[in-house]
Amino acid sequence: MADKQHITLQLDAHRVALDVDRDKELIYREAAKLLNERYQFYLRRMPNASAEQLWVYVALSVGVNMENNYLPIDEKLTELNTKIKNICL
């Protein structure tokens, strides 16, 4: 069982308390940093938007970015699978 650590993250005005694997703490902190940066980005561009609207834009932005990050992996896996099939035939 992984060693757990209690951390508290600040997401805009919200404090989020979590118990996370000690070796994943940095991932959570970097994720919180990214979310706060995205939130501030949209807040500057839409100062009259509600916090709820801003978080929707943040979620969409991060989701699209995740999808774009996976595309090269999918392409590489397809390429490797094709090479393996060619070797085995």
Side-chain angles (χ1 to χ4, degrees), residues 8-49:
T8 302
L9 303 172
Q10 188 77 29
L11 296 173
D12 183 42
H14 308 280
R15 293 174 60 86
V16 180
L18 303 164
D19 291 321
V20 301
D21 292 341
R22 198 170 287 279
D23 62 343
K24 297 212 175 9
E25 176 192 4
L26 184 59
I27 294 169
Y28 280 87
R29 294 199 184 279
E30 289 295 322
K33 180 181 173 187
L34 170 68
L35 293 173
N36 281 318
E37 287 171 355
R38 292 275 84 200
Y39 186 88
Q40 290 301 316
F41 173 84
Y42 287 112
L43 178 60
R44 285 189 300 274
R45 279 152 185 74
M46 299 180 290
N48 297 323

Side-chain angles (χ1 to χ4, degrees), residues 39-89:
Y39 186 88
Q40 290 301 316
F41 173 84
Y42 287 112
L43 178 60
R44 285 189 300 274
R45 279 152 185 74
M46 299 180 290
N48 297 323
S50 69
E52 182 180 70
Q53 289 172 312
L54 295 171
W55 281 116
V56 168
Y57 279 93
V58 169
L60 183 60
S61 171
V62 170
V64 168
N65 191 42
M66 282 180 54
E67 182 66 25
N68 286 337
N69 287 338
Y70 286 126
L71 286 176
I73 294 170
D74 288 341
E75 291 169 4
K76 190 63 170 176
L77 286 173
T78 300
E79 178 185 329
L80 289 172
N81 283 334
T82 301
K83 287 180 181 181
I84 290 170
K85 285 179 187 175
N86 289 337
I87 292 171
C88 292
L89 292 177

